[in-house]
Amino acid sequence: MTSPRLRALIFDVDGTLANTEHAHRAAFNEAFAEAGLDWHWDVPLYTRLLEVSGGKERITHYWRETRGDIRAIDAGALADTVQHIHDHKTAGYERRVQEGSVQLRPGVLKLIESAFNEGLHLAIATTTSPVNIVALLRSAIGPAWSSYFQVIEDASTAPHKKPHPQVYLQTLQRLRLPPAECLAFEDSANGLKAARAARLATVVTPNAFTAHHDFAGALRILPSLQGTTIADLRSWHAAAQTQ
Ligand code: XBP
Ligand code: MG
């Protein structure tokens, strides 16, 4: 029996396509100040908070874990307040991306273009908000960016955040492909867990916020996708099928 062919690449966004978390962190802190809160997420604290996927979930987690006053607020008011803060944060992040403070990681654009030209299906599976994807890829690739991607699953379509596999399972369902014919690309332990739970072989490219994470189960752990070719991916993918 021949081993499954590689037919699709599924990309995480934050930390994988681009190092975005410095801009997210700045946008969170700006939103806290705008809301009159004395909260400030420095790099060490944000690195820990990134273990909670999803900006709204991260805010709620921080509020619940570190500021006892959350217990006095009813659930509806809490959700409204978190949504308000997150809306301001998303606007601040979008502005920072449009001002050019976020670039694609080395090798990403070349790999996406090569994969597209070789007829591989491309997809995005992220826990970030849809406006953040548009801002990043429009700025990095141009207005035709969405023509590269057949499927996009994000925080608006997959409410269960990584390490839950929902975003990957929904991506595979929409691609109409088995996981054995795909490769996932991630930067974090939560992302790797989500992809592996969907039975996807996963290439990990850590970054400064995730270098200390446990990447057991990764197909490859690379400093970046610089120099990675489609032939490399096909070879790694084929070898993974025999394991
Ligand atoms: C990373 C996340 C997101 C971002 C912030 O997403 O967990 O929450 O940190 O974006 P991924 P939002 O690595 O899956 O792309 O505030 O829009 O959630
Ligand atoms: Mg990520």
Side-chain angles (χ1 to χ4, degrees):
M1 189 175 118
T2 55
S3 67
R5 278 188 56 220
L6 177 62
R7 293 180 189 275
L9 307 182
I10 306 172
F11 290 94
D12 163 58
V13 173
D14 292 302
T16 301
L17 289 182
N19 283 322
T20 59
E21 295 296 354
H22 64 286
H24 282 300
R25 186 179 74 87
F28 278 113
N29 286 328
E30 180 185 86
F32 298 152
E34 281 173 357
L37 296 165
D38 66 349
W39 303 354
H40 182 78
W41 291 353
D42 60 17
V43 171
L45 172 55
Y46 192 62
T47 301
R48 286 197 302 281
L49 289 173
L50 273 173
E51 287 166 23
V52 178
S53 289
K56 288 190 283 189
E57 292 82 355
R58 199 166 299 145
I59 295 168
T60 307
H61 167 80
Y62 173 74
W63 198 347
R64 182 169 285 121
E65 294 299 310
T66 58
R67 321 287 291 209
D69 51 358
I70 198 171
R71 279 180 285 279
I73 301 173
D74 88 313
L78 175 72
D80 289 349
T81 304
V82 169
Q83 185 64 55
H84 175 82
I85 296 169
H86 194 252
D87 288 346
H88 277 261
K89 176 265 170 183
T90 299
Y93 173 77
E94 200 176 7
R95 190 182 70 249
R96 284 170 171 80
V97 171
Q98 286 161 350
E99 287 167 355
S101 70
V102 178
Q103 316 299 328
L104 291 183
R105 291 188 65 176
V108 165
L109 184 55
K110 186 158 188 264
L111 193 64
I112 287 172
E113 288 172 338
S114 305
F116 185 79
N117 294 335
E118 288 203 25
L120 290 176
H121 301 290
L122 296 174
I124 285 175
T126 174
T127 57
T128 199
S129 309
V131 291
N132 295 346
I133 304 168
V134 176
L136 173 68
L137 296 183
R138 189 178 178 81
S139 156
I141 300 178
W145 71 271
S146 58
S147 60
Y148 282 112
F149 298 96
Q150 183 181 332
V151 170
I152 298 177
E153 286 287 325
D154 58 44
S156 67
T157 57
H160 299 296
K161 303 290 172 59
K162 300 170 184 175
H164 192 291
Q166 182 184 38
V167 71
Y168 279 109
L169 294 172
Q170 290 181 184
T171 300
L172 287 165
Q173 196 175 24
R174 289 181 57 200
L175 284 169
R176 306 166 70 86
L177 290 173
E181 295 182 359
C182 306
L183 277 182
F185 296 80
E186 273 287 352
D187 71 302
S188 69
N190 276 348
L192 175 60
K193 284 183 193 133
R196 294 301 294 141
R199 299 164 51 109
L200 282 158
T202 305
V203 174
V204 173
T205 51
N207 52 61
F209 283 106
T210 64
H212 61 291
H213 286 191
D214 175 6
F215 295 120
L219 178 63
R220 280 287 188 294
I221 302 172
L222 304 171
S224 81
L225 292 172
Q226 177 85 18
T228 298
T229 63
I230 300 302
D232 293 328
L233 298 185
R234 290 194 192 283
S235 159
W236 301 342
H237 172 261
Q241 306 313 312
T242 58
Q243 283 170 356

